[in-house]
Amino acid sequence: TWVARGSTVAWSTYAMGRNRRIWGEDAAVFRPERWFAFDTPPDAYTYMVFHAGPRECLGKRLAMVEMKALLLLIVKEVKLTLAVPPEEVRPDFQLTIGM
């Protein structure tokens, strides 16, 4: 989209978070499994919770650190077990680590 110099551009992150073209017909429904459908997560310009570019939210990094710290506290309290026998576990050699 071409925008003329000097134009004022505004958007509503509230409206974008409920946009049916981005998130589907059930955009207003809390459905965390919708994130599993993406091959890659939406970029900062599509999912603008923290905004993007040089004026992104100053609290973005703090929020990410808090999320990781909370995840660590939860994982420390959970006992994980293998879903298959140990002898069925095979190494998966890749050029890069899958994300």
Side-chain angles (χ1 to χ4, degrees), residues 42 48 58 65 82 92 97:
M48 299 195 59
L58 295 175
V65 168
L82 289 174
D92 182 13
I97 297 173

Side-chain angles (χ1 to χ4, degrees), residues 17 23 26-38 41-42 47:
W23 307 111
D26 62 347
V29 177
F30 178 70
R31 195 172 56 84
E33 62 273 8
R34 82 174 72 239
W35 293 99
F36 299 139
F38 290 107
Y47 183 62

Side-chain angles (χ1 to χ4, degrees), residues 4-6 9 12-13 19 21 28 40 46 50 52-53 56 60-61 64 75 81 83-85 92 97:
R5 180 183 298 184
V9 178
S12 168
T13 53
N19 188 322
R21 285 188 301 170
T40 59
T46 302
F50 294 110
E56 73 179 10
K60 177 180 179 179
R61 290 193 176 103
M64 293 298 183
V75 168
T81 59
V84 296
D92 182 13
I97 297 173

